Amino acid sequence: MIRLEKHERSQIEPLFRGIEDSMVLSYLQGYMGDGYVNHLQNPSAALIISGEYSFFGGNPNSEDALELIKQLFSVNPSECSVCIFPEEEPLWEQVLLSVKENHPTLVPRFGIVQKDYCFDEKILEKYMDSVPKGYDLIPFSKEIYHKAMMSDWSKEFCETFQSAEEYLNRGFGFAVLKRGDLVSGASTMTVYDGGIEVQVATVEGERGKGLAIACAAALLMECKKRNLRPCWDAANLASKKMALSLGYEYRGEYPTIHIQRASNG
């Protein structure tokens, strides 16, 4: 498997025209993520890895496609990955499910319409002001970046950035602290020209208190100030409900394949 250099990324752009995802845009525009092919001359399939997500494009019936799936964990250090592919190429689903050593599982996600929104500032302010007493809503800092990277539940806030300095230079986010501990947040998981991908999470035990939606509202308000499009994609029903409450529009379910690294035992 060959990792593409920055100047080679345009070679695989046609293979990803069916995926409207900000993480794919971010990679193709040279911001973050890694791209792979089996050969540089006229590849029939390609792979983009961004954090815990793996995007497949091209011909799912090709030898390239099968090889990229089989070799994914040779270039991805994660223990698991969420595989996303063009909805108009459903054969990707079959091929991904056929590689049994990856322990593939079909998992639906809940798509949000990708467009420019005009969010109601009064609604955003209402959620921002709803943080309970004893909790503090503040912007991400270098200290919060390092707190986020220390825990599995929160590292997605920042893991696609190479350092705290890069994150604070190119990304931003809002966190809720409880007695100094990070308990919830909303952050720029990825950035691209004119937009970001929103990542929202709350530590188990602090959910159901309106913390995540307060952070998300603050993030959307900041995006409005910076004239950025905040893209949202819902992994579960709670995320979908939150997005709709903030003013996003739902476009329907779509399939993804969750895979895991084969155990040595």
Side-chain angles (χ1 to χ4, degrees):
M1 198 183 297
I2 301 169
R3 180 180 178 274
L4 294 169
E5 299 296 330
K6 191 171 183 178
H7 68 276
E8 296 171 325
R9 296 182 182 207
S10 60
Q11 294 183 36
I12 65 171
E13 185 172 357
L15 301 177
F16 288 91
R17 284 180 183 151
I19 298 182
E20 294 183 4
D21 193 287
S22 65
M23 285 183 276
V24 171
L25 282 176
S26 180
Y27 170 77
L28 293 175
Q29 292 174 359
Y31 286 101
M32 47 188 48
D34 294 297
Y36 299 90
V37 294
N38 283 327
H39 47 82
L40 292 174
Q41 295 298 321
N42 299 316
S44 56
L47 164 67
I48 294 172
I49 297 175
S50 184
E52 70 167 31
Y53 296 93
S54 299
F55 297 89
F56 290 90
N59 181 3
N61 282 322
S62 65
E63 291 184 10
D64 283 352
L66 188 59
E67 193 64 22
L68 289 169
I69 295 168
K70 289 182 174 181
Q71 297 299 320
L72 186 148
F73 286 112
S74 69
V75 295
N76 186 343
S78 301
E79 293 300 310
C80 56
S81 188
V82 178
C83 299
I84 299 175
F85 46 89
E87 292 180 53
E88 65 268 25
E89 288 285 1
L91 285 176
W92 274 110
E93 179 181 319
Q94 296 179 26
V95 179
L96 284 158
L97 289 172
S98 73
V99 182
K100 300 303 181 182
E101 58 265 36
N102 285 343
H103 309 292
T105 305
L106 179 63
V107 179
R109 286 179 74 91
F110 305 93
I112 303 301
V113 175
Q114 304 296 326
K115 69 172 190 176
D116 292 323
Y117 289 91
C118 185
F119 296 104
D120 188 325
E121 290 191 17
K122 290 183 179 179
I123 291 176
L124 299 182
E125 289 170 354
K126 178 190 73 172
Y127 287 123
M128 292 167 63
D129 293 339
S130 67
V131 176
K133 186 177 180 180
Y135 297 83
D136 298 307
L137 175 63
I138 62 172
F140 264 55
S141 62
K142 185 174 182 179
E143 181 182 5
I144 292 175
Y145 168 92
H146 289 297
K147 286 178 182 287
M149 291 299 292
M150 288 174 62
S151 299
D152 287 340
W153 75 268
S154 56
K155 66 182 181 180
E156 276 190 67
F157 290 145
C158 313
E159 68 178 348
T160 57
F161 296 86
Q162 296 300 312
S163 64
E165 289 72 24
E166 183 188 17
Y167 175 81
L168 294 172
N169 183 48
R170 297 166 61 185
F172 54 94
F174 290 85
V176 168
L177 302 185
K178 181 182 182 182
R179 293 191 291 272
D181 293 330
L182 176 63
V183 295
S184 186
S187 175
T188 54
M189 183 165 67
T190 54
V191 297
Y192 67 99
D193 290 341
I196 68 160
E197 179 80 17
V198 179
Q199 173 64 23
V200 180
T202 299
V203 69
E204 190 173 354
E206 295 289 347
R207 296 168 186 166
K209 300 177 181 179
L211 306 181
I213 200 167
C215 294
L219 189 72
L220 299 190
M221 191 75 82
E222 184 65 24
C223 285
K224 189 169 185 177
K225 293 176 183 176
R226 301 189 186 203
N227 196 30
L228 296 173
R229 173 189 284 189
C231 295
W232 190 297
D233 190 69
N236 51 55
L237 290 172
S239 178
K240 172 191 168 184
K241 180 180 178 181
M242 192 185 309
L244 298 185
S245 297
L246 290 164
Y248 285 96
E249 296 177 16
Y250 181 54
R251 71 172 180 85
E253 286 189 21
Y254 68 95
T256 69
I257 306 296
H258 287 205
I259 61 173
Q260 299 180 45
R261 184 185 298 277
S263 61
N264 294 325

